[in-house]
Every structure is written in structure tokens, then in C-alpha cells.
Amino acid sequence: MTAAPRLPGDPSSAELVERMIRVDHAGEYGAVRIYEGQLAVLGKSAAAGVIREMADQERHHLERFETLVREHRVRPTALSLLWHVAGYALGAASALLGERAAMACTVAVEEVIDEHYRSQAENLGDDPEQAPLRKTIEEFRADELAHRDLALAHDARAAPAHDLLTAGIKLGSRLAIWLSTRI
Ligand SMILES: [Fe+2]
Ligand SMILES: [Fe+2]
């Protein structure tokens, strides 16, 4: 698969890579904060083990993107304080609705991230210079899908107000991606 041809006015490939790293770094940071918020509420519940397992992987994802931010000299998102607060608030609020709602939050976020990482990998195409980044994205995408499956196995679909909750969290996640790519 090759990357789509560039149109006049489109960002250069260096800019595209910078944007990708910026938004992914922001997203992994948000993911860590979501799980910290969930654990603040559910840290002693039956779900704590599985949430901690996912949180550990998100920290690993975040560390990798922190390295990429430094290596590529990417300006991190200016919205990190917002994601610090919003991620934690989303995690805590979903957890307050119960363990199943916390799991539904994970499913909703991971479904959006799956689409997001898939489209990034497609955009990177076969460019050999970007092969390491693409490999990272594909590896993390597989981890995120495993989180989704883990959350589904923990009754995410039985959450109260499941459809509304899912729609709201997906909308918020897409907005966060849009903003962190640009700002
Ligand atoms: Fe992640
Ligand atoms: Fe995840």
C-alpha cells in the first residue's frame, strides 16, 4: 500500500509525521489519565486488576511517544492540561457509574483509537523512513484492540445507558484527536 498523493497546500510528510506523533502522544497521555481516574474510584473493586493491566500498557505507550516527541523534536500539544483534567474526569465519571460503565468507556475509546491508528498506518504507507513509526502504531493498535476485547469480556455491553455513553465518549474522543492534531 502506498500513501495517497499529496495535493498542493497539503502538509509535507515531515509535518504529517509531526502531527501524528503530537496527537498520539496526547492520546496515550489521555489514556493514562482515564485509567488513573477509573482506579481512583474502582481501585479496590473486582475490576481493579484488569484496569491496572491496561493502565500499565498505556504507560508503556506513553513512554514510547515521549521518546518519539524528543527524537523528532515535536512540539507537544498545547492542550496537555486539558487532557490531564478531561481524561481523569472521564475515567472517574465512568467508574462512578459502575464497573461495566468503566469497561464501556474503554470499548468506546479503543474503537475510536483503532480507526485512528489504522488510518495513520495507511497514511504512512510503505515509506521506508517511516517504517519504525508505522510498526509502533500497528503494535499499539493491536494492544488497544486487546483492551477493547478485555473490556467486552468484562460486560461492557451491559453498562447502564450504554448507547448514549458510547456515543458521547466517541464524540469526545474524536474531538480530542482533531484538536490534538492541530493545537
Ligand atoms: Fe494506548
Ligand atoms: Fe488502550
Side-chain angles (χ1 to χ4, degrees):
M1 195 187 314
T2 47
R6 200 158 74 85
L7 299 170
D10 281 359
S12 70
S13 89
E15 278 167 344
L16 281 175
V17 166
E18 189 179 334
R19 284 179 173 203
M20 282 186 197
I21 294 171
R22 179 181 305 121
V23 64
D24 294 352
H25 174 248
E28 297 297 354
Y29 180 67
V32 167
R33 291 296 289 164
I34 288 172
Y35 289 123
E36 284 175 356
Q38 290 190 347
L39 284 167
V41 177
L42 293 172
K44 292 191 171 75
S45 73
V50 58
I51 298 173
R52 239 172 234 125
E53 195 181 311
M54 296 190 283
D56 285 346
Q57 249 175 344
E58 300 302 357
R59 269 188 287 274
H60 161 69
H61 293 173
L62 176 60
E63 278 166 22
R64 180 85 67 89
F65 273 106
E66 271 169 358
T67 306
L68 285 166
V69 159
R70 278 195 301 273
E71 282 176 1
H72 291 254
R73 294 198 178 82
V74 172
R75 172 186 64 73
T77 176
L79 300 172
S80 60
L81 181 62
L82 178 60
W83 305 143
H84 181 83
V85 175
Y88 191 87
L90 173 61
S94 62
L96 283 168
L97 294 172
E99 293 174 28
R100 288 163 172 174
M103 295 298 150
C105 172
T106 290
V107 173
V109 171
E110 302 297 17
E111 283 182 357
V112 173
I113 299 307
D114 170 42
E115 286 166 21
H116 168 74
Y117 275 155
R118 184 172 21 194
S119 100
Q120 280 192 338
E122 275 171 20
N123 285 333
L124 286 171
D126 294 334
D127 182 352
E129 207 186 317
Q130 303 307 337
L133 178 60
R134 182 173 170 147
K135 190 166 166 281
T136 292
I137 287 169
E138 281 172 344
E139 186 190 310
F140 289 3
R141 184 178 155 230
D143 290 342
E144 311 301 6
L145 286 172
H147 296 168
R148 178 203 62 188
D149 292 345
L150 206 51
L152 285 171
H154 285 80
D155 274 349
R157 295 265 189 256
H162 172 273
D163 293 357
L164 187 65
L165 194 65
T166 300
I169 293 170
K170 285 191 168 185
L171 186 67
S173 303
R174 292 201 174 101
L175 181 64
I177 288 172
W178 191 88
L179 285 168
S180 302
T181 303
R182 291 160 178 84
I183 301 174

